[in-house]
Amino acid sequence: MFNRRRSLIYLGLFAGPALAVFLLFAVAPLVGTLGLGFFSGATGQDRFVGLENFINILTGPVDGPRFWNALLNNVEFFAIHLVVELPIGLGLAALLSSGVLRRSTGVYRTLIFIPTTLSVVIVAFIWRMIINPLWGLVDFPLLADTHTALPTIALMSVWQYVGIPMIFLYTALIAVPEEVVEAARLDGANGWRVFWQVKFPLIAPQFAIIAILTFIATFNGFDIIYTLAGASAGPDYSTDILGTYFYRTFFGSGASLSDPNRGAAVAGLIFLILLIVTALYFWALQRRTARANRLER
């Protein structure tokens, strides 16, 4: 009994400060923001309106099309990261862990990861200079066309953050037991089959985690769109994602007036989307793990 009480005291001493900071700076602002979405009116004169703000954002004649446009753009933004960033990161990780580069592995790993450490403003400035139609390498205004603006910005983001999946997958690949790889080679498997039939199934959980983290990151995206296209997310809202839509709604920009209550409702919808998708992922992961455990028995 005494040992248990002492353990609880130690747990409170070590975990208490971190828990207090988390509750104060993460949970409390989240709850406050979600609660703000159920009210309407000027500050100090708020009145409870229930789900009215949420309904207007989803179905209103003005807010509805803007929200769904931002959501679809966000899905496209995520899809480009998923089909471009993750395969490139996996390929780079496979190359670096294969031993082909030998002593240069650390150099290439550092060079690939360096863009991740750069400011988004610097990355945006560099790429704006590169694709400038007047003195850059491209003679077409990619950021001024509604069909190419969002894919162009997404590929810039891929270039900056491809080092993150590369590092995660590289560490997973070098942790694969060498005995398993040698056994596959003794059975006559070539390098291609060893990777896809031995190594990749072992790192598939890490790959799935990176995919869900990419989803969360892209649906929280804002900075690179704001830097390159502004709060209006032009041209003609073609680069508008949920982050920039929330910014215009909450803080106001140009012709869009500030409305913290509607902005909080947008933030609540973003949180709900992230919560549902993440919960579905962990539910599927738990089912798969339980099925694998039953097969082992």
Side-chain angles (χ1 to χ4, degrees):
M1 183 68 179
F2 176 75
N3 290 334
R4 183 179 180 184
R5 184 180 301 172
R6 186 170 60 180
S7 298
L8 292 175
I9 293 174
Y10 287 153
L11 179 62
L13 289 175
F14 285 106
L19 181 61
V21 170
F22 176 74
L23 292 174
L24 182 62
F25 294 103
V27 176
L30 176 62
V31 173
T33 301
L34 295 177
L36 190 62
F38 294 96
F39 292 84
S40 180
T43 304
Q45 301 176 354
D46 292 348
R47 58 186 179 85
F48 184 77
V49 294
L51 298 175
E52 182 179 327
N53 288 324
F54 298 90
I55 295 173
N56 286 336
I57 289 170
L58 293 173
T59 62
V62 177
D63 290 325
R66 294 280 170 81
F67 173 80
W68 292 109
N69 173 67
L71 178 60
L72 291 176
N73 286 341
N74 224 140
V75 171
E76 180 182 351
F77 192 64
F78 162 68
I80 292 174
H81 280 77
L82 186 67
V83 301
V84 179
E85 181 178 298
L86 266 64
I88 291 178
L90 178 62
L92 292 173
L95 178 63
L96 293 173
S97 63
S98 65
V100 174
L101 301 177
R102 299 176 183 261
R103 295 181 180 179
S104 302
T105 299
V107 175
Y108 285 108
R109 190 171 63 239
T110 303
L111 291 175
I112 295 169
F113 193 77
I114 282 177
T116 305
T117 65
L118 298 178
S119 166
V120 173
V121 176
I122 295 175
V123 172
F125 176 79
I126 292 173
W127 278 105
R128 187 182 285 275
M129 294 298 101
I130 292 175
I131 66 173
N132 191 293
L134 295 179
W135 56 75
L137 301 178
V138 182
D139 58 0
F140 181 79
L142 295 173
L143 296 178
D145 187 272
T146 56
H147 297 94
T148 60
L150 184 61
T152 300
I153 296 177
L155 291 175
M156 295 178 188
S157 179
V158 167
W159 175 85
Q160 180 178 11
Y161 293 113
V162 72
I164 294 178
M166 181 271 295
I167 286 293
F168 273 102
L169 295 172
Y170 172 78
T171 56
L173 285 171
I174 62 177
V176 173
E178 191 62 30
E179 297 82 3
V180 178
V181 177
E182 289 297 330
R185 287 173 179 164
L186 288 175
D187 288 339
N190 56 23
W192 184 261
R193 291 185 60 190
V194 167
F195 179 78
W196 287 110
Q197 297 182 12
V198 178
K199 291 185 176 182
F200 186 76
L202 293 175
I203 68 168
Q206 288 87 342
F207 191 85
I209 289 174
I210 295 171
I212 196 66
L213 290 176
T214 302
F215 171 80
I216 294 172
T218 52
F219 269 73
N220 280 314
F222 168 76
D223 45 8
I224 194 166
I225 300 289
Y226 182 80
T227 305
L228 287 165
S232 60
D236 195 24
Y237 300 103
S238 61
T239 59
D240 195 19
I241 60 176
L242 293 175
T244 51
Y245 176 67
F246 161 75
Y247 178 87
R248 287 198 314 275
T249 306
F250 196 99
F251 297 102
S253 177
S256 301
L257 299 178
S258 172
D259 190 338
N261 300 107
R262 287 173 51 246
V266 174
L269 291 172
I270 297 174
F271 175 75
L272 184 62
I273 292 170
L274 294 175
L275 182 64
I276 291 174
V277 174
T278 305
L280 288 175
Y281 163 75
F282 282 108
W283 174 77
L285 180 63
Q286 187 176 12
R287 281 178 57 96
R288 179 180 177 182
T289 303
R291 190 184 302 114
N293 292 335
R294 286 196 301 267
L295 292 175
E296 289 179 359
R297 294 174 185 174

